[in-house]
Amino acid sequence: KNGFEVRYLTTCRYCILVIILIETNMDAKLQALQKATADAEKEMVKEKGAYEDSERRLNAAKELLQNMDPEDQKEIMVNDTKLPELLELHALAKEAYETALKRYETNRKYVKIMEDKIKT
């Protein structure tokens, strides 16, 4: 009950000690999870910035190619541009951001579960 595991020992004073230790352990776990969630949020914000930056660079490169003279567009090869590198950078940034976002959302979900468990 109340999110605490109770182990019955031979005397009542030991029962109180066990409950206090388990409660302290739950608080410590919650604090550790809250710290991990805060760290995950910082990482997610950083990766989101990198992802948005890579998207801006990619869009700028595409726009430059689209605004080129039609005759020059016919002659240019994709490998003559930075487009392949920008596409790779964008894909890596997107993957890193999505991973960081999932980690943050998962941690946040478990913090809520633990907080609810401790409150009841």
Side-chain angles (χ1 to χ4, degrees):
K1 186 176 179 177
N2 298 332
F4 303 118
E5 178 184 337
V6 178
R7 295 185 183 118
Y8 293 98
L9 299 175
T10 56
T11 66
C12 188
R13 68 182 163 159
Y14 291 122
C15 292
I16 293 169
L17 177 63
V18 170
I19 292 170
I20 290 170
L21 288 175
I22 292 170
E23 182 177 339
T24 303
N25 190 24
M26 290 284 283
D27 289 341
K29 285 181 183 180
L30 178 60
Q31 287 176 352
L33 187 55
Q34 287 170 331
K35 182 186 180 322
T37 302
D39 292 345
E41 183 178 21
K42 289 176 190 172
E43 182 71 17
M44 184 263 304
V45 168
K46 182 185 96 177
E47 295 298 345
K48 182 179 181 184
Y51 170 65
E52 289 171 347
D53 182 57
S54 73
E55 193 167 43
R56 279 191 296 275
R57 291 174 185 231
L58 182 60
N59 289 336
K62 287 179 183 179
E63 188 176 330
L64 268 172
L65 288 174
Q66 291 170 348
N67 291 333
M68 285 179 72
D69 182 47
E71 291 298 317
D72 290 338
Q73 283 182 2
K74 290 178 185 174
E75 294 177 17
I76 196 166
M77 303 293 283
V78 173
N79 290 336
D80 294 337
T81 68
K82 293 283 184 187
L83 205 54
E85 291 90 357
L86 291 172
L87 285 167
E88 182 179 354
L89 175 68
H90 183 65
L92 292 172
K94 181 179 179 181
E95 182 180 343
Y97 168 62
E98 289 173 349
T99 300
L101 179 62
K102 286 178 187 173
R103 181 179 304 116
Y104 169 67
E105 289 173 343
T106 300
N107 284 1
R108 195 174 62 183
K109 179 178 81 172
Y110 283 112
V111 164
K112 172 100 172 84
I113 289 169
M114 286 190 74
E115 287 174 340
D116 290 346
K117 195 173 189 180
I118 289 174
K119 286 179 186 176
T120 57

